[in-house]
């Protein structure tokens, strides 16, 4: 993952005039310094970012630039266990959750690691995927180690009774019959869930840490959540990222919807609706 930090450089009047006149930007240790937000400077900066194949930027508050920024999706992905704990607390549940549903079409090492970790947290992990054959082979391999998951590609039935859905990489839910009172933890770009959806949609989380991280003092004018996300992505794999979260005591402060903080009353409301649904299904 190629991430760059963008800072407004502190310059003398003469340096400011010179670098603006010749559109001079400079880079040191993965930090790009610009003299101003003038159109020619920003245009040159965007060109450089594209040429360097930069995936994401983090910028200080004074920089006026439109480019891909970290949006919290990776925090969601690597803090799924903590998000579930936060949900359990609001739902007033104890012990293991009955089941969760994981939506993924990417059969890769990281997603397999996520599944295997979550198996220890819930009683049943259901995989919903279009890559049926590969995940069914995983299901058989895990079963040999007494690890049990279920795999489905049925759009009409797979998510119909799902109370908690973790979306790892679905681009949309087109064609899926989703429980309208479910809790969706989204780890991908913002997706639409339908106008009749009355559940909880977790788009990102607000986080904090009591540890004094070096990156905070180096980038004091940048968003701390984004700085943590960037540091997280520097780790090599899923479990090293999980270790980073634990060792740095990163905690969830709030769950966020598309625009606002999700409060406890919303969980209480969804819990009531889910209980009614469950009784209806049993009946």
């Amino acid at each position: 993952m190629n991430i760059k930090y963008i800072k407004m450089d502190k310059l003398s009047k003469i340096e400011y005039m010179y670098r603006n006149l010749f559109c001079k930007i400079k880079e040191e240790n993965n930090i790009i310094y610009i003299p101003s937000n003038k159109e020619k400077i920003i245009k040159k900066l965007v060109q450089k970012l594209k040429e360097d194949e930069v995936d994401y930027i983090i910028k200080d508050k004074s920089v006026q630039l439109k480019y891909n920024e970290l949006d919290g999706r990776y925090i969601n992905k690597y803090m799924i266990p903590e998000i579930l704990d936060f949900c359990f607390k609001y739902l007033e549940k104890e012990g293991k959750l009955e089941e969760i549903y994981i939506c993924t079409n990417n059969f890769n090492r990281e997603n397999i690691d996520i599944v295997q970790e979550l198996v220890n947290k819930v009683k049943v992990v259901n995989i919903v995927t279009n890559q049926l054959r590969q995940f069914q082979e995983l299901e058989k391999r895990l079963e040999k180690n007494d690890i049990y998951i279920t795999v489905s590609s049925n759009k009409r039935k797979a998510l119909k009774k799902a109370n908690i859905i973790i979306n790892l990489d679905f681009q949309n839910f087109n064609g899926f019959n989703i429980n309208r009172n479910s809790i969706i933890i989204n780890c991908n770009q913002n997706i639409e869930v339908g106008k009749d959806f009355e559940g909880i949609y977790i788009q990102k989380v607000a986080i904090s840490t009591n540890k004094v991280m070096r990156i905070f003092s180096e980038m004091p004018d940048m968003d701390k959540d984004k700085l943590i996300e960037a540091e997280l992505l520097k780790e090599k794999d899923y479990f090293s990222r999980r270790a980073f979260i634990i060792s740095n005591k990163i905690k969830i402060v709030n769950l966020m919807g598309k625009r606002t903080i999700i409060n406890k009353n919303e969980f209480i409301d969804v819990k009531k609706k889910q209980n009614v649904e469950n009784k209806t299904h049993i009946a």
Side-chain angles (χ1 to χ4, degrees):
M1 191 82 61
N2 189 1
I3 300 171
K4 299 287 186 183
Y5 304 89
I6 315 295
K7 278 187 175 184
M8 190 68 68
D9 212 351
K10 295 178 181 179
L11 304 168
S12 67
K13 189 173 182 179
I14 294 175
E15 287 176 315
Y16 174 83
M17 292 175 63
Y18 169 77
R19 286 180 56 188
N20 270 293
L21 179 64
F22 294 101
C23 295
K24 292 288 186 181
I25 61 178
K26 66 178 184 179
E27 180 175 357
E28 294 177 1
N29 300 322
N30 227 30
I31 304 171
I32 299 175
Y33 296 88
I34 62 173
S36 72
N37 286 309
K38 289 186 180 296
E39 185 178 351
K40 289 183 179 179
I41 297 290
I42 296 300
K43 187 176 180 180
K44 185 173 182 179
L45 173 58
V46 170
Q47 183 181 348
K48 174 177 173 56
L49 294 172
K50 289 179 177 178
E51 288 174 354
D52 292 348
E53 297 182 340
V54 174
D55 298 297
Y56 296 103
I57 63 160
I58 303 177
K59 57 189 176 69
D60 69 34
K61 297 171 185 177
S62 61
V63 175
Q64 299 170 11
L65 168 67
K66 289 185 178 180
Y67 197 84
N68 292 339
E69 292 191 63
L70 292 170
D71 57 8
R73 74 182 68 174
Y74 297 105
I75 292 288
N76 280 18
K77 188 173 188 178
Y78 301 118
M79 293 192 73
I80 291 173
E82 287 79 8
I83 295 174
L84 288 174
D85 284 341
F86 212 92
C87 292
F88 293 176
K89 181 182 71 174
Y90 274 176
L91 292 169
E92 297 179 348
K93 290 182 177 290
E94 296 181 358
K96 278 191 174 184
L97 187 70
E98 287 296 320
E99 60 183 340
I100 58 172
Y101 293 74
I102 299 175
C103 297
T104 178
N105 285 323
N106 294 335
F107 186 79
N108 55 36
R109 181 70 259 168
E110 184 167 84
N111 286 349
I112 293 170
D113 288 341
I114 290 172
V115 170
Q116 289 186 281
E117 181 170 22
L118 293 180
V119 163
N120 297 319
K121 199 166 189 67
V122 299
K123 292 180 181 179
V124 180
V125 172
N126 304 284
I127 307 294
V128 181
T129 182
N130 291 325
Q131 303 299 322
L132 197 60
R133 183 183 59 80
Q134 289 177 307
F135 279 100
Q136 282 177 334
E137 289 175 358
L138 173 65
E139 181 181 14
K140 292 175 183 176
R141 292 206 306 270
L142 293 178
E143 190 174 340
K144 292 178 181 178
N145 296 318
D146 294 325
I147 299 172
Y148 300 97
I149 64 173
T150 69
V151 181
S152 175
S153 62
N154 190 316
K155 289 189 174 184
R156 189 169 63 87
K157 295 181 179 181
L159 297 173
K160 187 177 181 180
K161 298 179 182 180
N163 285 337
I164 295 185
I165 299 169
I166 298 168
N167 177 39
L168 291 183
D169 49 60
F170 274 21
Q171 300 298 316
N172 57 65
F173 287 118
N174 293 345
F176 280 92
N177 185 7
I178 297 179
N179 176 7
R180 66 179 184 173
N181 296 312
S182 61
I183 297 167
I184 298 176
I185 302 168
N186 188 34
C187 304
N188 200 5
Q189 62 189 21
N190 194 6
I191 59 175
E192 295 300 321
V193 291
K195 293 181 180 179
D196 63 340
F197 183 74
E198 297 179 356
I200 291 173
Y201 180 90
I202 301 170
Q203 178 61 27
K204 62 182 294 186
V205 297
I207 55 177
S208 71
T209 175
N210 292 328
K211 293 198 72 173
V212 180
M213 297 179 69
R214 176 182 51 80
I215 195 71
F216 292 164
S217 59
E218 292 178 353
M219 314 286 181
D221 295 324
M222 296 185 184
D223 185 288
K224 286 187 177 181
D225 285 12
K226 292 180 179 180
L227 291 174
I228 291 173
E229 191 169 12
E231 291 298 293
L232 190 59
L233 291 171
K234 291 176 184 177
E235 299 294 330
K236 63 180 181 178
D237 56 31
Y238 176 73
F239 287 112
S240 61
R241 288 165 182 169
R242 288 291 301 147
F244 176 90
I245 288 166
I246 294 166
S247 65
N248 284 284
K249 299 179 181 178
I250 298 169
K251 297 181 179 180
I252 295 173
V253 178
N254 284 307
L255 303 177
M256 310 292 294
K258 291 184 178 180
R259 285 175 286 274
T260 59
I261 294 172
I262 302 167
N263 61 51
K264 185 176 181 179
N265 289 335
E266 293 178 68
F267 278 89
I268 293 171
D269 185 47
V270 162
K271 182 181 178 181
K272 288 178 182 177
K273 291 176 181 177
Q274 289 182 354
N275 287 340
V276 171
E277 276 188 349
N278 292 338
K279 289 177 182 177
T280 302
H281 290 149
I282 292 171

